C-alpha cells in the first residue's frame, strides 16, 4: 500500500523507485504483482505518463486511509515515549514553505533526529485526509470543517506603496480614490479579480481596483511595489522590515482588511501523534518569539 500511494503521489514508477531505492524493473515487477494479486489493473501506463484506473483510485483512497489509521494506531500505542519519532508529512505554501518553513524544519530535525520529516510545498489546496499529510501550514482560514486549526501568528493586512509612487501620484484619502490609482493585484485562489474588501466602522465596503501589473506570486508583487509601480495589499509579516526602513508606507490605515493569520491545520483526530504536537509547538514558539522581536 505504501508503494502504491507513493507511485500515485509522484505520478511515476521511476520516481517511486528512486524514492525507496528500488531499480525501475523491480518497481514494475512489484506493481505487476499487486495487480495480479487483486486481479485488476490499477494504473494505465504509457512511455511518458501514468494515470490511475477507477479501481486504482478506489485502492488509493482506501490505502491512504488505512495507512493513516496504522500510523495513528502506532502513535496511540507509543504515546508514553517521551521522544518524538516516526514519519511527519507537512504541507506548506510555495514561497513561505521555501523561505521560512524549510529552515525551521532544519532546526526541528536537529532537535528531534528520530523524526523523519517530508515537506511538500504547493499553493493549491490539499485534502489532508486523502493526501495523508499530518498537517498543513496556511495563511487564512480553510473552509474544511473536518480539520482542527491552531493559530500560530496573528497577521494583519495593509495597503502600502513606496514613497516614490506616492510622491508622483499622490496619497489616496478615501477608498474611492483607489479607482484612479495604479493598484498591483495579487491573484489568490478563487478571489474575485481586482475586488478589494474593507471594514470601516463595522461596515463592509468593496472597491474595484485596476492596475497594469498582477501576479499569483506574493514575492513578485511585493517587488513591484518596492519598485514604485503602485499600491498593494500585503500582510504585516511581509511588510515589517520595509515599513521600518521607510521603503514602503501604509496607505488608508483606518480601513481594515481581512487578516492573513497563520494557521497550522491537522486532521481532527483525538490522538494526535507526539511528533506532530512537538512540531506544532515548535512552530508556535518560534513565531511567538519572532513577534516579540519585531515588537
Amino acid at each position: 500500500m505504501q508503494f502504491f500511494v507513493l507511485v500515485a503521489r509522484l505520478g511515476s514508477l521511476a520516481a517511486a523507485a528512486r524514492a525507496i531505492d528500488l531499480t525501475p524493473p523491480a518497481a514494475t515487477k512489484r506493481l505487476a504483482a499487486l495487480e495480479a494479486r487483486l486481479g485488476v489493473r490499477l494504473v494505465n501506463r504509457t512511455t511518458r505518463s501514468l494515470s490511475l484506473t477507477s479501481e486504482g483510485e478506489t485502492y488509493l483512497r482506501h490505502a491512504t486511509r488505512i495507512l493513516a489509521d496504522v500510523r495513528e494506531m502506532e502513535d496511540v500505542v507509543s504515546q508514553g515515549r517521551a521522544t518524538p519519532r516516526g514519519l511527519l508529512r507537512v504541507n506548506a505554501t510555495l514561497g513561505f514553505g521555501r523561505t521560512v518553513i524549510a529552515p525551521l524544519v532544519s532546526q526541528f530535525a536537529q532537535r528531534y533526529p528520530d523524526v523523519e520529516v517530508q515537506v511538500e510545498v504547493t499553493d493549491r489546496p490539499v485534502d489532508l485526509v486523502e493526501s495523508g499529510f499530518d498537517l498543513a501550514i496556511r495563511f487564512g482560514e480553510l473552509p474544511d470543517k473536518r480539520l482542527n486549526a491552531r493559530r500560530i501568528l496573528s497577521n494583519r493586512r495593509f495597503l502600502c506603496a513606496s514613497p516614490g509612487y506616492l510622491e508622483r501620484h499622490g496619497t489616496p484619502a478615501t477608498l474611492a480614490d483607489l479607482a484612479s490609482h495604479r493598484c498591483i493585484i495579487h491573484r489568490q485562489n478563487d478571489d474575485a479579480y481586482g475586488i478589494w474588501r474593507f471594514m470601516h466602522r463595522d461596515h463592509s465596503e468593496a472597491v474595484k481596483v485596476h492596475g497594469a501589473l498582477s501576479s499569483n506570486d506574493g514575492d513578485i508583487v511585493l517587488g513591484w511595489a518596492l519598485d514604485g509601480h503602485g499600491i498593494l495589499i500585503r500582510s504585516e509579516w511581509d511588510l515589517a522590515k520595509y515599513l521600518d526602513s521607510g521603503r514602503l508606507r501604509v496607505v488608508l490605515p483606518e480601513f481594515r482588511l481581512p487578516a492573513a493569520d497563520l494557521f497550522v491545520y491537522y486532521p481532527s483526530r483525538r490522538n494526535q501523534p507526539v511528533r506532530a504536537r512537538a512540531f506544532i509547538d515548535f512552530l508556535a514558539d518560534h513565531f511567538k518569539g519572532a513577534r516579540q522581536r519585531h515588537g
Side-chain angles (χ1 to χ4, degrees):
M1 284 188 290
Q2 289 175 326
F3 169 72
F4 185 76
V5 169
L6 189 62
V7 169
R9 184 164 62 86
L10 297 178
S12 163
L13 263 176
R18 286 193 299 272
I20 56 176
D21 201 23
L22 277 181
T23 64
T28 301
K29 181 181 286 188
R30 182 176 291 192
L31 178 60
L34 177 60
E35 290 179 325
R37 183 168 63 81
L38 295 170
V40 296
R41 181 181 291 277
L42 297 175
V43 300
N44 295 312
R45 280 166 288 174
T46 68
T47 54
R48 293 189 176 184
S49 66
L50 179 150
S51 62
L52 299 186
T53 63
S54 60
E55 292 83 3
E57 294 280 2
T58 300
Y59 188 89
L60 175 65
R61 186 168 61 253
H62 286 272
T64 300
R65 188 181 68 247
I66 291 168
L67 289 170
D69 288 342
V70 169
R71 290 216 311 272
E72 183 177 357
M73 174 194 67
E74 292 175 342
D75 291 330
V76 171
V77 171
S78 61
Q79 285 294 320
R81 292 190 309 211
T83 304
R85 65 182 71 241
L87 176 62
L88 179 68
R89 298 194 64 225
V90 177
N91 181 276
T93 52
L94 282 169
F96 191 74
R98 183 172 57 248
T99 59
V100 177
I101 299 303
L104 290 177
V105 167
S106 177
Q107 297 175 30
F108 180 81
Q110 291 174 341
R111 183 178 299 182
Y112 300 106
D114 293 329
V115 179
E116 176 188 351
V117 186
Q118 292 180 356
V119 177
E120 185 168 309
V121 290
T122 173
D123 280 335
R124 60 176 173 76
V126 294
D127 186 320
L128 292 190
V129 178
E130 294 291 339
S131 302
F133 287 107
D134 294 291
L135 53 92
I137 303 162
R138 285 286 187 278
F139 285 101
E141 298 188 41
L142 292 182
D144 193 336
K145 300 305 181 185
R146 295 177 300 169
L147 302 178
N148 288 333
R150 178 173 172 183
R151 181 191 284 109
I152 58 174
L153 177 71
S154 296
N155 191 36
R156 295 170 297 170
R157 295 161 80 225
F158 299 103
L159 287 173
C160 64
S162 71
Y165 173 84
L166 297 174
E167 288 169 10
R168 291 192 305 274
H169 300 277
T171 300
T174 68
L175 290 184
D177 291 344
L178 292 175
S180 60
H181 275 268
R182 299 170 183 263
C183 294
I184 301 169
I185 299 171
H186 184 196
R187 301 194 312 272
Q188 293 180 284
N189 302 325
D190 297 325
D191 289 352
Y193 184 81
I195 302 292
W196 289 355
R197 303 182 188 280
F198 300 84
M199 286 294 296
H200 183 57
R201 296 175 182 170
D202 297 325
H203 296 290
S204 176
E205 298 185 48
V207 179
K208 175 70 173 175
V209 297
H210 305 276
L213 299 178
S214 67
S215 174
N216 67 335
D217 185 277
D219 291 337
I220 289 175
V221 294
L222 182 58
W224 288 336
L226 290 166
D227 288 340
H229 287 287
I231 298 174
L232 175 69
I233 294 175
R234 290 303 286 166
S235 74
E236 59 182 324
W237 173 263
D238 299 306
L239 294 178
K241 62 182 178 182
Y242 301 112
L243 295 177
D244 289 344
S245 68
R247 292 187 66 191
L248 291 174
R249 293 178 186 166
V250 171
V251 175
L252 296 171
E254 67 273 23
F255 293 92
R256 289 184 291 113
L257 286 150
D261 295 348
L262 186 63
F263 289 88
V264 176
Y265 292 90
Y266 48 92
S268 50
R269 298 193 190 104
R270 194 170 50 197
N271 298 301
Q272 190 178 56
V274 172
R275 57 183 173 271
R277 285 207 309 273
F279 186 69
I280 294 171
D281 289 343
F282 179 84
L283 292 178
D285 289 344
H286 169 81
F287 286 107
K288 180 180 178 181
R291 173 63 72 214
Q292 291 172 344
R293 288 192 298 273
H294 286 94

